[in-house]
Amino acid sequence: MRVLGIETSCDETGVAIYDSSLTGGQGLLADALYSQIAMHTDYGGVVPELASRDHTRKLLPLIEQVLADAGLERHDLDGIAYTAGPGLVGALMVGASTAHGMARGLGIPVLGVHHMEGHLLAPMLEDDAPDFPFVALLVSGGHTQLVNVQGLGHYQLLGESVDDAAGEAFDKAAKMLGLAYPGGPHVAALAEQGNPERFRFPRPMTDRPGLDFSFSGLKTHTLTAIRQLEMADKLDDQARADVARAFEEAVVDTLVIKCRRALDQTGLKRLVVAGGVSANHRLRERLAQACEKRQAKAYYPRGRFCTDNGAMIAYVGAQRLVAGEQDASGIMQATPRWPLADLAAPTTP
């Protein structure tokens, strides 16, 4: 089954084709991504209306590009999957309407899939894919969650952020430090020049039981530290790097502590880490150390699949379409808020 995947939940237009044929499917055939980062940088964050308009301009050309890269025509497709949520409603509608229009014209099934399920299963696109069950850390600009994954659609939420997501905290810290959007890579790069001994920021909610996260207090602590340096006329380049290092260390330590707890609590030996923040090198180093001590193993998607992409949507859509799921005729899905726990396993094996 050759499935076209469409991702338009926020500020990246992603398209891919995945072949999941039971008689020797070839896996990922082609993928392409257009990022709107340059457009949104001037505003310091995503402007929803601009995002929707840009998806409208870029989506169809990307679909044609991916079909050409895969050596296929539209009539060679067997199904279409698109991101139905969570995300920006206008951006979601661009992908949903395009997917349904194409599927109606081709007479093939179409299915709206969960954006975070795409991230959760993105490591399945790799040669060294994890087996079920595993613990998943979903860590991005919009979500920070720990999930017990027993199989496709069998998800138990173990903990999540009660306020800012980790990626959102990185973006806000970057803005405080005068860095460009998106903040994560810029904070990480500046932190490389920082002195890890100068400041120690709090590790939120690690001094109590549980697997929930909170990053709003850390954000406030960072702002306070910057203002104190400004008042003392000591906010030079080195001080900014030291603050970035202290902030990154606090976020990474918090995530690692919670992952250790989740592995210990579940007794599982596989940890999947996905979402934009999963590309952070310091986080990967610390998680590798934590897993080694527990005879566990961490799995990640390749770099370009850490952020939003069409390949993860094509993969999830293929698994669920093969199992017989599809949208009701003519009914598009666009669900800005959609808890991962609301997903169900396919009813057909």
Side-chain angles (χ1 to χ4, degrees):
M1 190 172 195
R2 293 167 178 163
V3 175
L4 175 72
I6 295 173
E7 158 60 25
T8 62
S9 66
C10 190
D11 59 347
E12 277 142 343
T13 311
V15 180
I17 299 174
Y18 188 86
D19 182 357
S20 67
S21 303
L22 297 178
T23 56
Q26 301 176 54
L28 186 63
L29 301 182
D31 71 280
L33 182 72
Y34 175 79
S35 174
Q36 301 175 359
I37 286 176
M39 179 178 66
H40 296 293
T41 295
D42 291 341
Y43 302 94
V46 177
V47 181
E49 179 63 25
L50 295 180
S52 301
R53 293 179 183 179
D54 213 42
H55 286 309
T56 302
R57 286 191 291 265
K58 301 298 183 182
L59 183 52
L60 287 177
L62 278 181
I63 290 173
E64 295 305 321
Q65 175 187 332
V66 167
L67 285 167
D69 290 345
L72 301 175
E73 301 290 339
R74 291 192 181 194
H75 61 76
D76 294 317
L77 297 172
D78 302 303
I80 300 177
Y82 64 94
T83 300
L88 303 174
V89 65
L92 293 171
M93 285 299 297
V94 173
S97 58
T98 301
H100 270 263
M102 286 186 62
R104 176 71 65 88
L106 295 170
I108 57 178
V110 59
L111 176 67
V113 304
H114 197 289
H115 177 76
M116 296 311 294
E117 185 174 33
H119 278 303
L120 189 152
L121 298 180
M124 298 298 189
L125 294 162
E126 306 305 322
D127 293 334
D128 184 24
D131 294 323
F132 296 117
F134 54 78
V135 170
L137 171 66
L138 301 178
V139 57
S140 66
H143 299 82
T144 303
Q145 298 178 324
L146 280 165
V147 185
N148 185 337
V149 180
Q150 294 294 314
L152 180 66
H154 293 281
Y155 309 133
Q156 177 193 4
L157 183 64
L158 300 174
E160 62 183 340
S161 178
V162 298
D163 41 57
D164 292 356
E168 182 181 4
F170 266 108
D171 287 341
K172 291 178 178 178
K175 191 171 184 178
M176 297 174 199
L177 291 165
L179 302 175
Y181 171 87
H186 296 291
V187 171
L190 182 60
E192 289 298 318
Q193 311 302 318
N195 176 4
E197 305 299 327
R198 182 172 181 182
F199 301 111
R200 179 175 172 81
F201 288 2
R203 277 61 172 161
M205 296 183 70
T206 58
D207 58 349
R208 68 189 77 174
L211 295 172
D212 285 335
F213 302 87
S214 172
F215 294 104
S216 64
L218 176 59
K219 174 190 66 179
T220 302
H221 188 93
T222 304
L223 179 59
T224 300
I226 292 172
R227 285 179 173 172
Q228 288 175 343
L229 288 165
E230 287 177 331
M231 292 173 62
D233 197 25
K234 293 182 178 180
L235 188 61
D236 54 18
D237 289 344
Q238 186 58 53
R240 291 170 65 251
D242 295 342
V243 169
R245 180 63 178 266
F247 174 84
E248 184 186 47
E249 291 277 358
V251 173
V252 167
D253 278 356
T254 300
L255 294 173
V256 172
I257 289 168
K258 299 290 184 170
C259 285
R260 290 202 309 251
R261 288 183 186 176
L263 290 171
D264 293 343
Q265 178 178 309
T266 61
L268 296 174
K269 298 296 184 182
R270 288 180 287 270
L271 174 68
V272 161
V273 189
V277 182
S278 70
N280 182 281
H281 296 298
R282 204 175 306 280
L283 176 61
R284 293 194 177 204
E285 291 173 0
R286 300 283 176 80
L287 285 175
Q289 295 167 4
C291 286
E292 184 178 4
K293 291 180 180 179
R294 286 162 174 74
Q295 291 77 53
K297 183 176 180 180
Y299 297 84
Y300 304 87
R302 71 195 73 171
R304 74 176 191 272
F305 293 160
C306 288
T307 54
D308 296 350
N309 63 87
M312 66 184 191
I313 302 304
Y315 176 82
V316 171
Q319 308 313 305
R320 289 186 174 271
L321 284 164
V322 165
E325 293 189 24
Q326 60 179 290
D327 286 356
S329 179
I331 300 179
M332 295 184 294
Q333 300 183 63
T335 310
R337 298 184 181 273
W338 187 4
L340 185 66
D342 289 352
L343 283 178
T347 55
T348 304

